[in-house]
Amino acid sequence: MQKLEMYRGPITGGYVLCTDCEPKYEAEHAERSRAAAFGDTAIPPEFADATWESFLPRAGTELARDICRVWYQANDGRFLYLTGPVGSGKTRLACTLAAAAFRERTTSVLFVHVVDLFDRLRAAEMKGPGEDDNFRIPALAARQLLVLDDLGVEKPTEYTCTRLLQLLERRHQAGHPTIITSNLSLDALGQRLGDDRIPSRLADWADLAIVRATDYRLERAGQRAKRKSR
Ligand SMILES: Nc1ncnc2c1ncn2[C@@H]1O[C@H](COP(=O)(O)OP(=O)(O)OP(=O)(O)O)[C@@H](O)[C@H]1O
Ligand SMILES: [Mg+2]
């Protein structure tokens, strides 16, 4: 019969059913903490299981995938600029890297869509110190790995350009890598922002990977439609 005992493990001073249960309890607790920490990365659930193995070798993706792998291995603080057409797999590649970094290196990973980034930055600035501190420039600059998804879709203003420049500068100075995904080439990004300062820095600080693949969402939709019509 199981008996209630004082739990003497490092996690909590609570009660467990028996000493045999202790390792199981600890493992479950560790798994729960890990799942919570993964949630904190804000990697979208759709890409939570993104791995190199699950990234399909579609035509036009090979070189970009290899550049991403080399970039990951180098781990030298350089940025990574991932560009390519809609649906080609940029966000999936970025999340593959971010999830690998979380599993193998650090929990200090954050994924954020650029539109949310500016909304959250503005909201944090409206609040007092101590509130929403995760979304202030110093905290964002301190993350070991930051993914900025879909750069260029935000409506560019003086505010967005200034904050982005400030964030990228601080991360570069700290030697913390940033992964940026965008549908725009660096030239087109400069035109979109009406400002060459950001593309100029990215050309210098970032490795460039171009995903030259077609839209996988459309491909999937086509496959689904075919299956239904059979
Ligand atoms: N090589 C791949 N292997 C497996 N799934 C893929 C691959 N490429 C894309 N996908 C899937 O296709 C969908 C679109 O990919 P993703 O969101 O990464 O594209 P994107 O290039 O970021 O598109 P957008 O420009 O619209 O942001 C996702 O569901 C993603 O998981
Ligand atoms: Mg995307």
Side-chain angles (χ1 to χ4, degrees):
M1 203 178 107
Q2 293 177 326
K3 65 179 189 320
L4 208 60
E5 290 178 3
M6 174 66 89
Y7 175 67
R8 298 186 197 287
I11 299 165
T12 162
Y15 285 86
V16 291
L17 287 176
C18 67
T19 38
D20 290 344
C21 305
E22 200 173 298
K24 201 170 162 236
Y25 172 83
E26 282 194 33
E28 276 173 17
H29 192 87
E31 183 46 42
R32 229 176 298 153
S33 309
R34 207 166 165 69
F38 188 82
D40 289 345
T41 67
I43 293 174
E46 179 188 357
F47 300 113
D49 62 346
T51 57
W52 297 115
E53 293 71 35
S54 64
F55 189 79
L56 302 172
R58 302 178 61 235
T61 59
E62 297 88 348
L63 184 59
R65 192 200 50 204
D66 289 351
I67 291 170
C68 288
R69 291 189 96 141
V70 170
W71 175 86
Y72 183 78
Q73 293 303 334
N75 195 19
D76 56 5
R78 277 183 66 73
F79 291 9
L80 178 67
Y81 191 78
L82 267 166
T83 184
V86 168
S88 56
K90 303 178 296 294
T91 301
R92 188 170 182 101
L93 271 175
C95 289
T96 302
L97 292 161
F102 175 85
R103 277 194 310 271
E104 296 162 13
R105 294 181 179 159
T106 173
T107 54
S108 179
V109 173
L110 182 68
F111 174 100
V112 63
H113 191 274
V114 285
V115 173
D116 292 337
L117 170 77
F118 296 119
D119 283 354
R120 300 282 303 264
L121 274 171
R122 275 197 206 92
E125 285 169 20
M126 308 278 280
K127 292 180 182 164
E131 288 180 85
D132 245 347
D133 280 347
N134 282 344
F135 269 86
R136 294 178 193 275
I137 296 285
L140 292 167
R143 289 278 185 165
Q144 294 289 314
L145 178 62
L146 180 68
V147 179
L148 297 179
D149 194 37
D150 253 347
L151 184 59
V153 300
E154 76 286 2
K155 184 176 164 13
T157 64
E158 200 181 326
Y159 175 85
T160 61
C161 289
T162 309
R163 283 290 176 274
L164 184 62
L165 190 63
Q166 193 185 10
L167 177 59
L168 296 177
E169 292 262 7
R170 296 251 192 128
R171 292 192 59 79
H172 177 65
Q173 282 157 17
H176 292 156
T178 307
I179 301 173
I180 295 159
T181 77
S182 178
N183 294 124
L184 304 173
S185 66
L186 286 179
D187 278 351
L189 181 68
Q191 283 168 23
R192 166 91 179 140
L193 301 180
D195 188 334
D196 284 337
R197 287 174 303 168
I198 288 168
S200 163
R201 282 160 180 77
L202 291 177
D204 188 24
W205 300 343
D207 290 347
L208 177 68
I210 307 174
V211 194
R212 298 184 190 277
T214 51
D215 187 339
Y216 189 63
R217 295 188 194 99
L218 290 182
E219 193 179 311
R220 238 179 356 207
Q223 287 166 358
R224 263 197 303 266
K226 248 191 210 164
R227 275 199 299 274
K228 271 191 191 159
S229 68
R230 268 188 214 139

